Amino acid sequence: MGSPTSLAVATIFVAVIMLYESNAQLNATFYGDTCSNASTIVRNAVQQALQSDSRIGASLIRLHFHDCFVNGCDGSILLDRGGSITQSEKDAAPNTNSTRGFDVVDNIKAALESSCPSVVSCADILALAAEASVSLSGGPTWNVLLGRRDSLTANQAGANTSIPSPVEGLSNITSKFSAVGLDTNDLVALSGAHTFGRAQCRVFIGRLYNFNGTGNPDPTINSTYLTTLQQTCPQNGDGTVLANLDPTTPDSFDNGYFTNLQNNQGLLQSDQELFSTAGASTVSIVNSFSSNQTAFFERFAQSMINMGNISPLTGTNGEIRSDCKKVNGD
């Protein structure tokens, strides 16, 4: 039997480990005893939504992305203005008239509340919905780590400054990824989510006619692709018209996005710069993912897990919202 001192040290050590696990560690079986069918409920709802809206998968993964980059993956992007929330992240420049899929999140939450009330967080719904969206569209599957709790606040100012912009240069975007602990491999892999979904003309029209004030189109756009985009998005036309992020397989999750970049067919400036920025470390990663879809899928899954680990609220921090749009009691 150990001495009282060694027993005390061992007890403290065990206590520290337990504290760490309860407050910092997400895990794939978090709802195993409390809501074992959570992932099935989410997947079924996403599958149903995809039947009537081919864009919804991309929209749902974008919600998770825009959530995690602002105060961590805490469901703060879902909060409406009202009650204790004086400014909503939904009204921040990267999100307003752009983010969508909130109705699907509400449907998922209602189904989960019916099956296991006050158990599954809205932050975890976003993580599960992102995985379902990718795997149901032909992409990889992964074990989603769970156990996040929901924020009591939103951060509109943070959403305006922390979310990478489609018109930013590669160095700025790299810095924003680095600020949340994500590296260049994560940046290129997660950009590959633009293998499906749409973007509004207003987001990339600057590339088509007057790039950076030059009076000419962005020289990195393939000329045939440029003509197509100019027909879709005429000057002074409707800025909300949609274009496919991936012109080749617009609704499938595959590695076609990276081949598009090699062909100068990246829709957004932030996409094409991954390949067209001379000397950038991203170029070789694009080439690797273009030639090897398995390598892309494996890295994408790992990068989604990495992103999902950004500053989650765990343990007794935050809450489990009963309505994803508002803080409990508001």
Side-chain angles (χ1 to χ4, degrees):
M1 203 167 157
S3 69
T5 304
S6 64
L7 276 174
V9 170
T11 304
I12 291 168
F13 183 65
V14 170
V16 167
I17 290 174
M18 290 175 67
L19 182 70
Y20 177 76
E21 287 184 343
S22 65
N23 284 326
Q25 292 287 81
L26 306 178
N27 67 80
T29 58
F30 186 82
Y31 298 114
D33 295 330
T34 54
C35 194
S36 59
N37 58 344
S39 61
T40 303
I41 290 172
V42 174
R43 187 178 182 86
N44 288 345
V46 173
Q47 192 160 27
Q48 186 176 359
L50 279 166
Q51 290 172 0
S52 57
D53 180 2
S54 59
R55 296 172 61 197
I56 198 63
S59 300
L60 290 169
I61 196 172
R62 187 164 178 251
L63 286 181
H64 184 41
F65 175 63
H66 283 208
D67 182 37
C68 290
F69 267 69
V70 184
N71 290 17
C73 310
D74 62 357
S76 57
I77 193 172
L78 302 173
L79 290 168
D80 284 343
R81 185 163 58 88
S84 62
I85 305 301
T86 56
Q87 289 189 313
S88 170
E89 291 174 26
K90 293 180 182 181
D91 299 323
N95 296 329
T96 187
N97 299 318
S98 175
T99 45
R100 58 195 297 277
F102 298 107
D103 53 337
V104 177
V105 174
D106 288 339
N107 291 343
I108 294 169
K109 183 60 174 173
L112 286 167
E113 288 300 298
S114 175
S115 183
C116 14
S118 303
V119 171
V120 181
S121 69
C122 301
D124 277 349
I125 288 172
L126 292 181
L128 287 165
E131 191 278 338
S133 296
V134 170
S135 59
L136 287 167
S137 301
T141 185
W142 62 92
N143 287 325
V144 180
L145 302 186
L146 301 165
R148 301 168 192 82
R149 288 166 66 85
D150 297 322
S151 71
L152 305 174
T153 59
N155 185 359
Q156 187 183 109
N160 279 321
T161 56
S162 300
I163 295 172
S165 160
V167 296
E168 268 184 308
L170 180 58
S171 60
N172 277 11
I173 291 177
T174 302
S175 296
K176 288 184 175 182
F177 271 74
S178 180
V180 292
L182 300 177
D183 66 16
T184 306
N185 287 301
D186 297 314
L187 164 59
V188 179
L190 293 172
S191 295
H194 287 172
T195 179
F196 63 174
R198 317 281 182 265
Q200 298 179 41
C201 288
R202 64 186 176 90
V203 175
F204 58 87
I205 198 160
R207 302 184 69 208
L208 307 185
Y209 301 101
N210 184 21
F211 184 59
N212 290 347
T214 60
N216 295 304
D218 183 339
T220 64
I221 304 182
N222 172 295
S223 58
T224 306
Y225 186 46
L226 174 64
T227 301
T228 301
L229 292 176
Q230 287 175 332
Q231 290 169 349
T232 304
C233 306
Q235 263 184 306
N236 306 313
D238 181 353
T240 65
V241 170
L242 298 171
N244 294 323
L245 283 161
D246 178 350
T248 50
T249 53
D251 296 323
S252 297
F253 198 99
D254 54 29
N255 66 334
Y257 166 85
F258 298 103
T259 307
N260 295 338
L261 299 186
Q262 292 174 322
N263 295 329
N264 290 329
Q265 289 184 307
L267 183 64
L268 308 179
Q269 177 186 342
S270 55
D271 292 325
Q272 193 57 49
E273 287 209 8
L274 297 176
F275 183 74
S276 297
T277 303
S281 60
T282 53
V283 177
S284 62
I285 306 172
V286 169
N287 290 336
S288 168
F289 291 164
S290 173
S291 63
N292 188 337
Q293 181 166 278
T294 302
F296 165 50
F297 278 11
E298 288 176 354
R299 182 66 224 194
F300 184 83
Q302 183 57 55
S303 292
M304 285 297 293
I305 291 168
N306 294 347
M307 185 179 79
N309 278 332
I310 299 171
S311 306
L313 298 171
T314 56
T316 57
N317 294 315
E319 66 179 12
I320 306 298
R321 282 184 220 140
S322 55
D323 180 342
C324 292
K325 299 185 297 295
K326 59 184 184 179
V327 174
N328 293 344
D330 264 5

